[in-house]
Amino acid sequence: MAENKSKILLFGGSGYIGRHMVRASIKLGHPTYVYSRPHSDHSQVLNELQSFGAIIVKGQLDDHVKLVSALREVDVVISALAYPQVLDQINIIEAIKVAGNIKRFLPSDFGCEEDRIISVLPPFQAFLDKKKRVRRAIEEANIPYTYVSANCFGAYFVNYLLRPYEQNQEITVYGTGEAKAVLNYEEDIGIYTIKVATDPKACNRVVIFRPRTNMISQLELIALWEKKTGRSFSKIHVPEQELVTLSNTLPDPLNIPVSIIHSVFVKGVTTDFEIGGDDIEASVVYRDQLKFTTIEELLDIFLHDPPPKPALAAFE
Ligand code: NAP
Ligand code: EMF
């Protein structure tokens, strides 16, 4: 069976979202390779992924020879590198050009759709512009691609917004709390990413993960959490202007998360544009094969079988 399955190489496969992609790739029967730094601080995760069947390839992101030889073993490349490493992906693109055999490349996007959203605060725009530079370099090199817009990582943002591990009676609400955002469970992001990476329909397309069941406002999310926990929370509103001021005054990179919060939860940038043209919405295209965990189901997971508390340290 595995002979006709694409071989997949992941960068950032030991990371927060990358590990879900590695597990999904193995689960779907793909020979799965993880390119990881020689002195990675994720050795425990890497050992676990290896025990599931992943092949760990040790190398630096600037080792061109190592990159080319790793790429020559595989068909599909997925990068889930973190934000500080976004421009290091240019090294991967250079190596893909030389290797000449790669059938698909997915760069590290996995958030807001950077080519579709408009008017975000400058620190977030600069963040998105870096990711856009990588997309343009891929197109320039004629590398077949899929760009995945996964929107908000569900468990990550449930933690951030509801702070379920704290005994707090207060929840912070950004702006009025009425704008809708898309929250997708990390395990699903892993499975759908592998699905689109190997689907001819998704070649040279933007794929957006925006299931109808996963669009929710902060006020609706809090109400649902109150219903499920039987608790009641007081809401502390942070006005929009305070977020704008913070985004102008906090040092880089601390000005980024506050700008993302503003765009996603005050302006509603993950839900406020139509998905049209050549773009694909994953829950529609794969509705006969796969299903996204709904936000109700995600909150049930937090109640009954909570995922380990993640380190919310993306910009520290
Ligand atoms: P992460 O866990 O912080 O890091 C991913 C991997 O990068 C690490 O496991 C590490 O792998 C590798 N890496 C390579 N060079 C590194 C270096 N010099 N320092 C540290 N790590 C290095 O990444 P992530 O948070 O999952 O982010 C992946 C993507 O998702 C990014 O594009 C990010 O913007 C996006 N994101 C989206 C959301 C959302 O809600 N939509 C939330 C968070 C992140 P090795 O140790 O194996 O080398
Ligand atoms: O830390 C984050 O937000 C703090 C609240 C950033 C890492 C999250 C993120 C989200 C995105 O879209 C929802 C990064 C990139 C994104 O496009």
Side-chain angles (χ1 to χ4, degrees), residues 184-254:
N184 293 316
Y185 188 38
E186 285 79 347
E187 270 187 31
D188 299 334
I189 293 173
I191 292 280
Y192 278 85
T193 298
I194 300 304
K195 195 78 191 158
V196 300
T198 53
D199 181 352
K201 283 195 297 298
C203 188
N204 295 342
R205 294 272 187 273
V206 172
V207 184
I208 299 170
F209 297 176
R210 194 200 278 170
R212 298 182 70 82
T213 51
N214 293 28
M215 293 193 246
I216 197 162
S217 72
Q218 291 170 84
L219 296 183
E220 290 165 343
L221 184 68
I222 295 167
L224 196 55
W225 187 234
E226 285 179 326
K227 193 177 99 190
K228 290 204 178 281
T229 56
R231 296 170 63 191
S232 119
F233 299 92
S234 49
K235 299 172 195 112
I236 315 290
H237 284 261
V238 178
E240 174 175 6
Q241 189 51 50
E242 198 171 319
L243 296 170
V244 174
T245 304
L246 282 171
S247 89
N248 285 324
T249 52
L250 282 172
D252 187 54
L254 295 177

Side-chain angles (χ1 to χ4, degrees), residues 111-112 124 127-128 131 151-152 156-157 160 257 260-261 264 314-315:
C112 294
F124 189 29
F127 171 107
L128 296 177
K131 293 191 172 189
N151 290 314
C152 297
Y156 182 99
F157 275 96
Y160 189 87
I260 295 178
I261 292 291
V264 173
F315 297 99

Side-chain angles (χ1 to χ4, degrees), residues 5-10 21 24-25 28 30 74-79 102-107 110 144-148 188-207 209 280 282 286 290:
K5 287 274 184 182
S6 301
K7 293 184 183 178
I8 301 183
L9 173 69
L10 291 107
M21 296 173 188
S25 175
L28 294 174
H30 297 281
V74 301
D75 308 298
V76 170
V77 180
I78 301 173
S79 165
I102 295 303
K103 299 187 183 62
R104 196 80 62 86
F105 179 42
L106 280 66
F110 308 115
Y145 63 82
T146 299
Y147 300 147
V148 173
D188 299 334
I189 293 173
I191 292 280
Y192 278 85
T193 298
I194 300 304
K195 195 78 191 158
V196 300
T198 53
D199 181 352
K201 283 195 297 298
C203 188
N204 295 342
R205 294 272 187 273
V206 172
V207 184
F209 297 176
I280 290 174
Y286 303 110
L290 294 169

Side-chain angles (χ1 to χ4, degrees), residues 20-277:
H20 291 283
M21 296 173 188
V22 175
R23 290 187 196 122
S25 175
I26 294 167
K27 192 169 158 189
L28 294 174
H30 297 281
T32 303
Y33 298 70
V34 177
Y35 194 96
S36 173
R37 289 165 300 159
H39 302 290
S40 167
D41 33 15
H42 296 108
S43 52
Q44 210 179 321
V45 177
L46 289 163
N47 287 341
E48 188 204 57
L49 297 174
Q50 195 170 26
S51 76
F52 295 156
I55 297 154
I56 313 298
V57 182
K58 286 284 176 196
Q60 300 285 8
L61 290 173
D62 60 2
D63 186 340
H64 180 73
V65 173
K66 186 64 83 41
L67 283 171
V68 172
S69 73
L71 290 165
R72 288 206 164 121
E73 297 297 317
V74 301
D75 308 298
V76 170
V77 180
I78 301 173
S79 165
L81 290 170
Y83 172 64
Q85 281 73 50
V86 161
L87 291 182
D88 291 343
Q89 295 177 111
I90 300 295
N91 297 334
I92 302 175
I93 294 171
E94 290 305 318
I96 290 177
K97 286 200 240 173
V98 173
N101 59 306
I102 295 303
K103 299 187 183 62
R104 196 80 62 86
F105 179 42
L106 280 66
S108 190
D109 289 328
F110 308 115
C112 294
E113 180 29 53
E114 62 239 36
D115 281 324
R116 303 287 177 266
I117 64 174
I118 45 163
S119 81
V120 303
L121 295 175
F124 189 29
Q125 191 58 56
F127 171 107
L128 296 177
D129 285 347
K130 267 197 193 176
K131 293 191 172 189
K132 285 168 81 159
R133 269 176 66 186
V134 173
R135 286 190 177 185
R136 302 297 85 86
I138 293 169
E139 291 153 15
E140 178 110 339
N142 263 315
I143 296 167
Y145 63 82
T146 299
Y147 300 147
V148 173
S149 170
N151 290 314
C152 297
F153 295 175
Y156 182 99
F157 275 96
V158 164
N159 270 307
Y160 189 87
L161 296 171
L162 300 178
R163 311 220 167 247
Y165 299 96
E166 293 171 11
Q167 285 312 306
N168 239 332
Q169 292 305 307
E170 292 171 350
I171 291 184
T172 304
V173 177
Y174 303 96
T176 65
E178 283 164 343
K180 299 231 189 211
V182 184
L183 270 60
N184 293 316
Y185 188 38
E186 285 79 347
E187 270 187 31
D188 299 334
I189 293 173
I191 292 280
Y192 278 85
T193 298
I194 300 304
K195 195 78 191 158
V196 300
T198 53
D199 181 352
K201 283 195 297 298
C203 188
N204 295 342
R205 294 272 187 273
V206 172
V207 184
I208 299 170
F209 297 176
R210 194 200 278 170
R212 298 182 70 82
T213 51
N214 293 28
M215 293 193 246
I216 197 162
S217 72
Q218 291 170 84
L219 296 183
E220 290 165 343
L221 184 68
I222 295 167
L224 196 55
W225 187 234
E226 285 179 326
K227 193 177 99 190
K228 290 204 178 281
T229 56
R231 296 170 63 191
S232 119
F233 299 92
S234 49
K235 299 172 195 112
I236 315 290
H237 284 261
V238 178
E240 174 175 6
Q241 189 51 50
E242 198 171 319
L243 296 170
V244 174
T245 304
L246 282 171
S247 89
N248 285 324
T249 52
L250 282 172
D252 187 54
L254 295 177
N255 52 4
I256 299 173
V258 71
S259 309
I260 295 178
I261 292 291
H262 175 266
S263 294
V264 173
F265 295 105
V266 180
K267 293 297 189 197
V269 297
T270 59
T271 54
D272 71 350
F273 63 95
E274 296 275 330
I275 301 175

